[in-house]
Amino acid sequence: MKGDGVPDVTSSQLAVLLRPEHLTRVVDIGANPIDGDPPYKPLLARRLCRVVGFEPQPEALARLDAAKSDLETYLPHAVGDGQRRTLHICAASGMTSLLEPDAHVLSHFPGLADWARVLDRRQVDTVALSAVPEIDGIEMLKMDLQGGERAVLEGAGDTLAETVCIQLEVSFVPLYKGQAPYGEMDLALRARGFIPHMMASTSRRMILPLRGPDVYAALNQLVEGDAVYVRNFLEPDGMTAEQLKHLVLIAHYCYRSFDLALNGLHHLARRGAVPADAPAQYMGIVQAGG
């Protein structure tokens, strides 16, 4: 993503206030748009970020390429630990994974066993995140790999040194063999300097044999969720001014976390990296709906 240029600050009052040195660098692993718009869409709409996405399923990759802007690049790689792996092609494309679906676990929830039925197995060479030449840094990482998130972290090397936000699918009840449960991923992210910020979404399932007419109907059992982790804002001196600026943009536009954004602006103002009245100006932007 070299030569990504300066953000179009005219598209955002907040960007005018922050004046980051470069576009927010977003990497989306598992970019198949089956769950609606990605969280970084508001940044893209304002031309404040550049996206490198990965999608090994040809049909999904074709859809992404057909709709992309000049700020988006999509690659066909399966991101992992850099080893040759088996891609399990499932009946529902959203269940396709480098891990084998766990039939025993899936049998406890309506619909999941059918969706995870393996139609084909393909040998693929995975690429480690640290070995992708199109990436020269990451501020925001999104992962939706159906259990492959741990392998991505293991192959990231120093690529996440500048990252301030990671959104990943976490599993409370692992649906794939060898999948890291939520607790393991939480510890792995904390070890890299991130702390939980919010759950962007959660998925609940009904436990069989209770069954309703709607296969999506659920009571209380948590199965998965999209967790958002951020660089530890409790230790702001561990972030550069540029990192804080991108964290403010991501917090504001991607998650409407106005408190986190204001916290970042407070520390930037204290350092003299933004005008002293930047926090007050920001609250005006928020109140005006900007």
Side-chain angles (χ1 to χ4, degrees):
M1 292 191 292
K2 296 186 183 299
D4 56 0
V6 178
D8 179 9
V9 297
T10 61
S11 66
S12 161
Q13 289 180 282
L14 182 55
V16 170
L17 192 59
L18 291 167
R19 296 196 176 275
E21 296 176 0
H22 59 260
L23 294 168
T24 299
R25 296 168 294 186
V26 177
V27 168
D28 188 344
I29 305 175
N32 189 353
I34 59 173
D35 294 322
D37 293 332
Y40 50 81
K41 184 178 180 180
L43 289 176
L44 261 180
R46 293 168 175 80
R47 301 187 65 80
L48 296 176
C49 74
R50 183 176 293 278
V51 178
V52 172
F54 297 88
E55 181 48 63
Q57 299 185 71
E59 299 84 0
L61 181 64
R63 289 194 297 272
L64 289 164
D65 279 333
K68 71 180 181 181
S69 70
D70 61 308
L71 295 175
E72 299 164 79
T73 299
Y74 294 102
L75 303 172
H77 310 318
V79 182
D81 57 8
Q83 303 299 311
R84 190 165 179 79
R85 301 294 182 190
T86 300
L87 184 66
H88 301 82
I89 311 297
C90 294
S93 65
M95 298 291 291
T96 293
S97 174
L98 291 171
L99 299 179
E100 181 182 354
D102 191 325
H104 171 69
V105 174
L106 294 165
S107 69
H108 288 76
F109 305 103
L112 291 189
D114 291 335
W115 298 339
R117 182 166 47 89
V118 177
L119 303 180
D120 191 16
R121 291 176 174 84
R122 301 175 190 168
Q123 294 298 305
V124 296
D125 292 314
T126 68
V127 59
L129 199 59
S130 58
V132 179
E134 288 84 355
I135 297 173
D136 69 347
I138 305 171
E139 274 79 41
M140 181 180 188
L141 173 64
K142 172 184 166 288
M143 293 189 285
D144 187 353
L145 294 97
Q146 304 305 315
E149 291 80 7
R150 177 170 55 186
V152 171
L153 290 182
E154 292 172 349
D158 295 329
T159 311
L160 302 181
E162 298 170 281
T163 305
V164 295
C165 178
I166 297 177
Q167 177 173 318
L168 74 161
E169 187 175 64
V170 295
S171 182
F172 302 104
V173 179
L175 303 179
Y176 299 86
K177 295 180 179 179
Q179 181 178 9
Y182 169 67
E184 287 186 23
M185 295 306 301
D186 177 69
L187 291 175
L189 289 165
R190 288 177 185 272
R192 286 181 171 268
F194 296 89
I195 61 173
H197 176 56
M198 63 176 286
M199 293 297 298
S201 67
T202 56
S203 174
R204 291 176 168 82
R205 290 290 171 186
M206 188 174 290
I207 303 170
L208 292 171
L210 185 63
R211 183 190 299 270
D214 179 2
V215 72
Y216 295 103
L219 292 178
N220 294 319
Q221 181 56 53
L222 281 171
V223 176
E224 297 174 322
D226 290 313
V228 178
Y229 279 71
V230 296
R231 185 69 65 180
N232 189 354
F233 60 87
L234 304 175
E235 304 292 342
D237 291 340
M239 283 184 271
T240 66
E242 187 69 7
Q243 283 180 298
L244 281 169
K245 289 179 179 182
H246 290 287
L247 180 57
V248 170
L249 286 169
I250 292 167
H252 178 84
Y253 284 118
C254 299
Y255 302 110
R256 298 180 61 82
S257 292
F258 306 130
D259 51 351
L260 179 59
L262 180 62
N263 179 271
L265 279 162
H266 166 77
H267 293 296
L268 286 165
R270 178 174 57 84
R271 296 184 193 184
V274 296
D277 67 343
Q281 288 192 53
Y282 175 67
M283 291 311 300
I285 293 172
V286 172
Q287 291 165 4

